[in-house]
Each structure stands twice: as structure tokens, then as C-alpha cells.
Amino acid sequence: MPGKRRSWWGWGYVEDAVTGAEAGRLADRVRALLPDVDLTPHEPPPVAELDLPPARVTPPTALSHLCSAEPADRAAHAHGKAFRDVVRNLHGDVRHPPDLVARPTSEQDVADLLDWCSRSGLAVVPYGGGSSVVGGVEPRVGDGYPGAVSLDLGRLDRVLEVDRTSRAARVQAGVFGPALEEHLRPQHLTLRHFPQSFEFSTLGGWLATRAGGHYATVLTHIDDLVEALRVVTPAGTSQSRRLPASGAGPSPDRLFLGSEGTLGVITEAWLRVQDRPRWRADAAVHFDDHDAAVAATRAIAQSGLHPSNCRLLDPAEALLNAGVATGGGVLVLGFESADHPVGPVLDRAIELCRDHGGTLPEPPRERDAPAPRGSGATDTWRSSFLRMPYQRDALAARSMIVETFETACTWDRYPALRAAVLDTVGAALREVGATGVVTCRFTHIYPDGPAPYFGVYAAGRWGSTVAQWDQIKSAVSAALLAAGGTITHHHAVGRDHRPWYDQQRPEPVALALRAAKATLDPSWVLNPGVLLDAPGVGGAAASRSSGRAERVA
């Protein structure tokens, strides 16, 4: 955005950071929950004062114009945007910066850079917007590589074609969410994929990590919006055929979706776009009992009504992030359509909620878009949702442990999973000597289960909060798998989830993935350590052992 500067150490724009009165209100809310917390703020060091290791790599002359070894570039590409990334940056702890940041301007540049890195044995870490919260863009590749290159796709940022008849668009991987939507808007189209990182993440990042968007049902993941992919690998370029559907063998697109840059670099995609919604209706339903709120949410998930928004906030989440006090939680409901009014389907969803004891302190709203936003619980939640990462940074700088983890499970397993998480976090907080609270919301719902998203807010010790969080995260990750959940619903695997991903992934799939990696990336230079270890680094045998993950956990 013109006139604004990206933060090198934290989320978003420097100018949008939490300061002044907002910081005061945030501190007051924290003190209301944790009266004895020390909220002394700490500032990150200037980039010029970082003690970065010297770059070990010099690009060939033909590629030098694409590459940068500037400290600011290297520092900004060293970490993602997880809590532990932000805190390490605040301490000036940037141990594994890339040696170079390469910014290709064409697909041929991507191929040439991959060819150079493969011949030289240099690790290549594909980079979109850098919003990874699982270590997916961190060049922490081990000593087996003479250097690491962060491959920033930000200059491949064009919408190349729009097929209005088929409602599809051909888009380069480096385009950011807002730019994509602005290009589609004049034709009254939208991708309608709005992750929380929308403003600061790219199409390629969404595809490589199987990102979850704002749709709570049906079109929940970017997978659902992909018509075809183009991927550059060290072994050649893969271009799948544009089709609405196909039964011709395993899907080539599914091989690369979620591969996190380990099999190739996604350079462009044909996407299924939609007409922009004209009608919207929403409501916030309150419950006195959490189990009843869950039952109502499940009834909606299995009703075939397909809400675009159906987020259940538990009492702690509703209080902290929507300012609403309830005994059982708040269900934020929304419907939209480009074709017809949606008031009747919202009415039916509300009726299902009332069957389970739900009440509406405010009447539901139906309107033609775009209508001005109100000040009810739905809008309060929406505004809070967008400010959460900035508030996380402000609290991290004040010695707070503020982080999230997400999963998905079947409805029958949810009560036990939630109880296990609450018990595990409570025990882990006691072990690390911290006091705090745990919140939960459903980000997405399916007929067979929800995707719970947990938040931890705890008073940590400055200088120890990363270690404290790592201990909590390890305990919770093991608990999620033991309770029948997934290690991640939409945050991806990266480096941080590897031990538990190795447990969750079936062994025949691991063998097939290693074979695909060896064929497409024979030098094993693409994002090493993500999804798989290179031969002799941790080792294939180690990855096959569930004991490896258990020891780490």
C-alpha cells in the first residue's frame, strides 16, 4: 500500500501497529484477566544493528540483477510471522537468514534460478508474502547446504486472463490478495478467498499451503477454487489441463497443492472465480450452554444451508475478541448470494439455533451489498479478527505468550478433544510457570466435524517466552493427535509441525512423497526439512519412525 512500510520484525505495516489508546485498552483487558502481569514494552532492534552472519553465496553474473544480499532483505526473509518468529526478531535473534533474496520477474527466471541452485547444491526456500506461522519460509536448512536462497515470487503478480464465460481467471502466483480482488472487481467477480492473512499473503502461498479462506462451509480451502496449476520443478515444468473435473487418474494439481515448495515452484494458476455477492444476511446467536451451542452448530453444518460464515466463539473467545459475556458462547452466522435474497436461509438457521436454546439480543440483518457495517457482535468480531495479529505483536513485546493452534476432528470426538486440549494447556502452563487462559472458536464446519482454533494468552517471562511456548505447543500437538485430530487444518506443516506430521502421515504416502521428491527435485534443494528430510539429514528411516516424533514431543 502506498505510503506504508512493511514491518521487518512483525505483522503488517509499521503505521498500523497497536499504539496509544488502543495499546492502553488492550493492556486493560489483559490485566482484567491476569492482574499481576508485567506489560513493560520492549522494542525490536533496528535492522542495521542485527548481527547477521555474512552471506556465503555470490550469484552468477547472469542472475545477479535478480538477487539481493542487503541486510534488510535478508532479515525480512529470515522468519515467518508466528509468535516465536516475532519474539526472536524482538530479541534480534536472526540466526538463519537467507544468503540471498532472489526476485524473479518471469517464469524463465524461476527456471534459471532453480537450475543454478540445483547445480550448486543451494537450498531454495520459495517465499510469497512471508505470513507462514509454521516455519515454512525460514531458511533453517542445516549444515548440508553451502547456502540458502529465498525465492521471492512477489514480482510475478499479474492477472493474465479472465474467462468470464467459464468464470475463471489465470493468475500469477505472486499476486497479493487485495490486488487480485481489485483486478476482478470491474468485472463484478471475486475469488472470495479471504484468509486472515489476506492483505499480506499471495496466491502461491495459499496454493502451496492449502490455505483456508473465510468461507465456513463448502468452499473452505483454496483447493476448491483451483482449475489448473503451472509449476516449475528442477525436472521440468508441469502444466495441468483446464477442466471443471476429471477422473483421469490421480489429480496432478493435488500433488502440488500443499507441497509447500518441496516439489516445485507454483508460478501461476487458473482459478474458479464467482460473481460478487449482492445479498447478505447475518446474525449473532447467544447461548447459555456450550454443549448446546455446539449441537446447534452441528445441526447447521448438517442442514445443507451452507452458511458463508458460521463461527462459534466459546465464552472466553467471545469476551476477549467480541466483547460479549455469555455462559455458552456466540455463534456468528452469515449468508450471501449473487443470485437471490438469503434472509429465508438465515431464518431457518436461527430456527435451528433456537431449537438448542439460542437467543438473539439483536435482530438479524439482511441487506443489499455493500451496506454500511453496524456495531453488533458480528461486526465487532470481524474488526477484531483483522486486528488480532497486530495485537499479538503488541502483547508479545510485553512478555505475553499469545499464540494459536488449529485442528479438525469429527463431531463425536470434539468434546473429548476440547477437554484434552484445555487440560493439556493448563498442565503445560503450570510446568512453565505461567498463568493464562485458553480460548476456542470454530473457523470452519463440515457435516462430519468442526475445525477448532484455540488461542493461548499467558503471562510469560521476558527472554523465555519462546521456550515456554515451545513446551506448551509440543504438549498440545501430542494431545491433538491422541484425541483423533489433525496437526493442522489450514496452517500447513512447515518445519514446526514436522514431528507430528510424520506420525499422522501414512507410511505408504511417505514413501510415495519421497519418490516424487527424488524425481522432481533430484538435488533435494527445494525447501529442505519441510515435509521431508534430505537423505542423510535426519534420514528417511528417521522420518518413518514414530519414535522420532515422540521424543521431540
Side-chain angles (χ1 to χ4, degrees), residues 524-544:
W524 289 72
V525 296
L526 282 168
N527 221 0
V530 173
L531 300 185
L532 293 167
D533 287 324
V537 182
S543 293
R544 287 196 295 268

Side-chain angles (χ1 to χ4, degrees), residues 73-95:
D73 273 339
R74 296 177 66 209
H77 288 72
H79 293 147
K81 299 302 180 185
F83 167 79
R84 64 191 320 272
D85 300 327
V86 168
V87 175
R88 286 183 294 168
N89 289 342
L90 283 165
H91 285 283
D93 181 5
V94 186
R95 301 182 193 180

Side-chain angles (χ1 to χ4, degrees), residues 204-270:
W206 301 342
L207 298 168
T209 61
R210 298 182 66 193
H214 193 67
Y215 268 127
T217 64
V218 187
L219 302 177
T220 59
H221 279 70
I222 192 65
D223 312 31
D224 305 312
L225 304 174
V226 174
E227 191 177 64
L229 287 182
R230 188 168 175 84
V231 186
V232 177
T233 82
T237 298
S238 171
Q239 171 68 67
S240 60
R241 179 170 295 196
R242 282 189 64 200
L243 293 167
S246 173
S251 165
D253 295 337
R254 293 283 173 176
L255 177 65
F256 294 107
L257 288 167
S259 63
E260 301 190 43
T262 62
L263 302 179
V265 179
I266 299 170
T267 56
E268 64 181 64
W270 274 97

